[in-house]
Amino acid sequence: MSAPVAIERDGSIAVIVIDYPPVNALAHAVRTALLAAVERLDADPTVQAIVLHGVGRNFIAGADITEFDQPGQPPRLNDLLSRLEACSKPVIAALHGATLGGGAETALACHYRASASDLKLGFPEVSLGLLPGAGGTVRLPRLAGWQASLELMTGGKPVDFERALALGLIDRALDGDPRADAVAWARELVAAGASPRRLRELPPPAATPELFATWRSSLPTAARRLPAPGHIIDALQAAATRPFEQALDRARELFEECRRSDESRALRYLFFAERGSGADRDAAAAVESAGVVGAGTMGAGIAISLATAGIGVTLVDSRPESLAAGLARVTSTLEGSGRKGRMTAAAAAAAIARVRGAAGLDALAGADLVIEAVFENLAVKQELFARLGAMCGPRTVLATNTSTLDVDAIAAASGRAADVVGMHFFSPAHVMRLVEIVRGRQSSRAALATARAVTRRMGKIGVTVGNCFGFVGNRMLYAYGREKELMLLEGATPAAIDRALEEFGMAMGPNAVGDLAGLDIGYHARREWRERPDDPRFYRVSDRLAELGRYGQKTGRGFYRYEGADRRPQLDPEVLELIRQEARKLGVTEREIEDSEIVGRCICALINEGAHILEEGIAACPADIDVIWCNGYGFPRHRGGPMFHADTVGLAVVLEAVLRYQAGQGARYWTPAPLLASLAERGGSFAEWQAARAKRN
Ligand code: T1G
């Protein structure tokens, strides 16, 4: 591997070149070499200016996140950047692509900044439960002011070239080859007698304590539960009220507090878990044309995602009105994204142009990939796959978007099971980033790799799972939902259950989720479930609501009432009465249920089912389960997912709770998974278990 930092000379201009794939992260080796280069060039009288340049797809993507599980090794980034800023000759940052976190802080420590137009400059530390710990909180306000600094750092979203220029974060554009253009500019600066411009020498802009108090109080509830957003505001306030060096030290202290927090450990864990393994990338077949069968909500959403990724799509539906509605939904959604700036108008128009409609399956004969999104019924899907199997070309990969049904049974009907995989999208499919890629008994390596590659190309996270009822996500959802349904009968109200789990951090409580997704969907899926527990209490309340046509938001009544366009749930005494009636019929005694029990039973049910799923190999590792639940089911990211959360609280604590619920509720649902019991008994964790397995393989 070549040296991470090199020095190149262009006459009296020296270029420090950072080349540390894949994203020029400021790892220990890079910091050490960078410091040596700066000290050498600053001492060299033949050097009149220094250009800092990153090779590859971006300038610097930040500190090396893998190093945050250990205390930082010297040279610390703070000290390196202070040395860079102290240079006696102009230092020019030549930016391009992702310039994030420590990369943006490095740019701020330079004296002049220029950038190519593909710039993405930002401070995403908050999404890792951290704060900019190397001077960003002290230097940025001196350049961009308090408002922009608070927005950039508590929001974590990067800005593009235009916005960076408008904020004064960069001085000018780099055209053509950024390195060469930056050297030419450096030469101009030297000729003009330009001297170093150090942000530390600027006074911080005026600020009142009210500004920071207002920001603290306007933080969203979820953000207020986490250490980082508040610590960012503290660090910025320190920059407003303390001398430069003291403000730097304060930011460092606050950074260390965040780095050691469970929240940041969880978010860093998810960062790498979501990038998964790049296994089998080479086995993937190219996909330039795709077919989507079924122009309903899911079908249209899948077509939008494929078209936005640059793939030609044929949307097929034999019912003309459904096809027309599906195509209209594709067009209006993409136009809307263009209008709202989520994509450029040109990109939206190009994506719309990539989608065409067809009434017959024959239009898909030459497609590279076909994804089915028809009614969730096994016989319907088998009949369709029999026709697709016969009609599509030998290279076509066939995917089913079923959310619960047996992929092997569907694959068998196609007569070419090796080409069949599950691609379980989440609603709304053009928004939700998760796809469960279901491996059938005969799915080929190439078919699975192709499904993963297309998922990545759509900018989504693909997690490969085994085939069973509900795969990983929905199978665990049934355990989680089962407990909330039982507690409804035992006396907890829908609102109390939702509030307790939302306070735990779930994006939305399970009853409100049921109303959003449609209680009829779950009802029909449970009808299809052959191994459904023979227990009259099992989802009794949801079933009764569905049988009464209370499907949730779409019918204005479900667990809650919804008035007209107002999507806010209203309590409905009729539902409480219905639940009491069902409980009486089932002989279930009503009692007070604490929030701790609501959260405990629902979350422990998740963890215990997750352990079964790992034992059976339906999920390859605990991280896959966590990625699925954090991206598909609104599990709080700052807890890292159910399995990471279990390790954080301790498996012995989880086992003790499971056994307590067993004593109260019986062994039927509360028998500890053998993996959970054995790990807990020997003081182990799911992470250690996975590490030991990885070592054995
Ligand atoms: N550290 C270590 N590894 C990193 C990394 C980082 N900062 N960024 C990316 N990688 C790895 C990643 O795991 C993957 O590895 C490969 O690079 C490609 O990434 C002191 C405290 C830059 C926009 O939060 O947002 O600076 O899977 O698949 O889609 O104040 O990576 O190939 O083995 O994501 O093209 C702040 C994190 C750090 C930016 C590129 N910086 N990175 O996206 O590729 S904290 C960030 C990204 C900090 C200072 C603070 C993205 C990207 P592998 P990828 P991509």
Side-chain angles (χ1 to χ4, degrees):
M1 181 160 161
S2 64
V5 171
I7 295 174
E8 297 168 359
R9 291 297 300 265
D10 206 317
S12 66
I13 309 299
V15 183
I16 298 178
V17 179
I18 300 170
D19 184 3
Y20 191 70
V23 293
N24 294 336
L26 293 160
H28 179 247
V30 176
R31 297 195 308 275
T32 307
L34 205 43
L35 182 60
V38 169
E39 285 174 339
R40 187 172 131 206
L41 294 174
D42 199 17
D44 183 337
T46 66
V47 173
Q48 292 184 302
I50 300 169
V51 170
L52 198 53
H53 171 63
V55 167
R57 54 183 163 176
N58 64 286
F59 175 63
I60 297 172
D64 186 335
I65 302 167
T66 62
E67 293 182 353
F68 286 149
D69 292 338
Q70 312 306 324
Q73 282 182 290
R76 290 187 321 169
L77 186 54
N78 240 340
D79 304 331
L80 164 62
L81 298 188
S82 293
R83 180 64 189 86
L84 182 66
E85 186 176 48
C87 259
S88 60
K89 50 204 77 178
V91 180
I92 294 100
L95 311 178
H96 73 284
T99 300
L100 304 172
E105 291 175 304
T106 303
L108 293 174
C110 295
H111 307 139
Y112 298 87
R113 286 158 290 278
S115 178
S117 59
D118 66 349
L119 181 69
K120 285 273 171 278
L121 188 146
F123 299 87
E125 287 88 340
V126 69
S127 65
L128 295 166
L130 298 167
L131 62 88
T137 57
V138 194
R139 292 191 175 93
L140 183 66
R142 283 165 160 78
L143 205 52
W146 297 112
Q147 202 64 28
S149 303
L150 283 156
E151 275 168 23
L152 282 170
M153 291 183 177
T154 54
K157 295 269 173 299
V159 293
D160 62 14
F161 175 85
E162 296 305 330
R163 182 86 179 109
L165 197 62
L167 285 171
L169 302 180
I170 52 175
D171 303 295
R172 54 172 278 173
L174 291 174
D175 306 319
D177 164 18
R179 181 191 175 291
D181 204 15
V183 169
W185 185 37
R187 228 179 274 295
E188 285 170 32
L189 287 168
V190 169
S195 56
R197 293 182 319 180
R198 300 183 182 91
L199 288 176
R200 70 170 52 231
E201 289 160 4
L202 293 180
T208 62
E210 289 68 39
L211 171 73
F212 301 103
T214 310
W215 266 87
R216 274 191 196 86
S217 58
S218 61
L219 281 175
T221 318
R224 255 183 265 145
R225 287 201 188 106
L226 306 176
H231 279 34
I232 288 171
I233 298 174
D234 295 346
L236 286 164
Q237 185 154 21
T241 56
R242 303 183 189 191
F244 193 94
E245 280 305 329
Q246 288 175 28
L248 266 186
D249 293 344
R250 181 65 185 134
R252 187 80 219 152
E253 285 164 16
L254 291 162
F255 172 83
E256 277 302 312
E257 279 177 35
C258 288
R259 184 184 68 77
R260 289 194 296 269
S261 70
D262 285 343
E263 289 82 3
S264 182
R265 273 188 330 101
L267 292 164
R268 295 189 319 250
Y269 159 81
L270 272 179
F271 176 86
F272 291 109
E274 283 167 351
R275 279 156 180 76
S277 75
D280 291 349
R281 285 193 190 190
D282 53 355
V287 173
E288 293 312 327
S289 67
V292 177
V293 185
T297 314
M298 288 305 284
I302 295 168
I304 291 167
S305 300
L306 289 164
T308 307
I311 297 170
V313 183
T314 304
L315 186 58
V316 174
D317 200 308
S318 55
R319 298 156 303 163
E321 65 292 345
S322 303
L323 182 57
L327 291 170
R329 184 193 297 269
V330 169
T331 303
S332 64
T333 305
L334 285 166
E335 283 172 349
S337 298
R339 267 196 315 281
K340 294 176 195 135
R342 289 201 201 106
M343 61 198 314
T344 64
I352 292 168
R354 288 191 198 99
V355 181
R356 68 187 182 109
L361 293 179
D362 52 345
L364 305 179
D368 301 319
L369 168 69
V370 173
I371 304 176
E372 155 283 306
V374 300
F375 186 64
E376 187 75 347
N377 172 281
L378 188 57
V380 170
K381 292 185 192 275
Q382 288 176 313
E383 189 272 334
L384 172 62
F385 271 72
R387 294 169 57 202
L388 287 171
M391 174 169 312
C392 292
R395 292 184 50 262
T396 306
V397 171
L398 304 176
T400 168
N401 178 50
T402 180
S403 57
T404 54
L405 299 174
D406 181 353
V407 169
D408 289 325
I410 295 170
S414 74
R416 45 192 286 186
D419 301 332
V420 177
V421 297
M423 287 183 78
H424 175 211
F425 289 76
F426 288 73
S427 181
H430 65 289
V431 176
M432 295 295 279
R433 293 185 64 210
L434 181 70
V435 178
E436 277 184 318
I437 295 170
V438 185
R439 179 187 55 248
R441 245 195 319 278
Q442 296 175 49
S443 301
S444 68
R445 184 166 161 260
L448 288 165
T450 303
R452 277 195 289 269
V454 168
T455 301
R456 257 194 316 277
R457 190 167 164 194
M458 291 187 284
K460 296 183 184 296
I461 299 171
V463 180
T464 306
V465 298
N467 179 34
C468 65
F469 182 84
F471 316 130
V472 169
N474 284 347
R475 174 173 159 179
M476 292 170 70
L477 182 66
Y478 270 105
Y480 169 86
R482 174 198 71 220
E483 288 308 309
K484 71 97 176 171
E485 290 277 333
L486 291 172
M487 286 187 278
L488 286 170
L489 294 170
E490 294 162 27
T493 67
I497 289 175
D498 284 357
R499 181 185 39 71
L501 286 161
E502 285 165 17
E503 273 171 16
F504 172 79
M506 297 300 293
M508 189 185 269
N511 300 303
V513 169
D515 279 359
L516 177 69
L519 298 173
D520 52 326
I521 307 287
Y523 182 80
H524 292 301
R526 286 189 292 278
R527 292 320 94 197
E528 291 268 342
W529 187 8
R530 288 191 294 274
E531 297 95 33
R532 167 195 169 109
D534 174 20
D535 174 355
R537 303 168 305 155
F538 189 79
Y539 280 81
R540 177 64 166 258
V541 176
S542 285
D543 284 354
R544 284 298 296 127
L545 291 173
E547 283 153 6
L548 292 166
R550 298 181 65 115
Y551 298 160
Q553 291 196 13
K554 58 182 154 187
T555 56
R557 288 169 181 268
F559 278 99
Y560 302 99
R561 240 171 336 106
Y562 301 87
E563 305 301 347
D566 181 353
R567 295 293 97 194
R568 275 170 303 157
Q570 315 288 331
L571 299 184
D572 190 338
E574 277 180 32
V575 172
L576 302 183
E577 184 40 36
L578 177 145
I579 296 172
R580 299 286 33 98
Q581 282 168 11
E582 294 305 319
R584 276 192 293 278
K585 285 183 206 152
L586 292 162
V588 176
T589 320
E590 187 177 353
R591 63 184 175 86
E592 274 306 307
I593 299 186
E594 302 290 326
D595 286 3
S596 57
E597 180 178 351
I598 292 171
V599 172
R601 280 171 64 178
C602 289
I603 302 303
C604 287
L606 272 182
I607 296 166
N608 201 41
E609 194 63 32
H612 281 302
I613 284 172
L614 290 172
E615 289 156 1
E616 296 164 27
I618 298 291
C621 59
D624 282 355
I625 294 177
D626 290 332
V627 168
I628 287 171
W629 266 77
C630 288
N631 288 283
Y633 298 83
F635 194 92
R637 296 181 63 80
H638 68 270
R639 294 184 189 277
M643 311 319 277
F644 186 90
H645 175 66
D647 280 354
T648 302
V649 295
L651 298 190
V653 172
V654 175
L655 179 63
E656 191 269 327
V658 169
L659 294 172
R660 193 169 62 246
Y661 299 137
Q662 184 184 80
Q665 306 293 319
R668 173 186 208 149
Y669 296 133
W670 287 106
T671 297
L675 176 62
L676 171 63
S678 64
L679 287 174
E681 275 139 20
R682 65 171 192 259
S685 70
F686 289 123
E688 287 157 13
W689 173 78
Q690 178 57 25
R693 284 174 77 229
K695 218 186 263 158
R696 281 198 303 278
N697 297 345

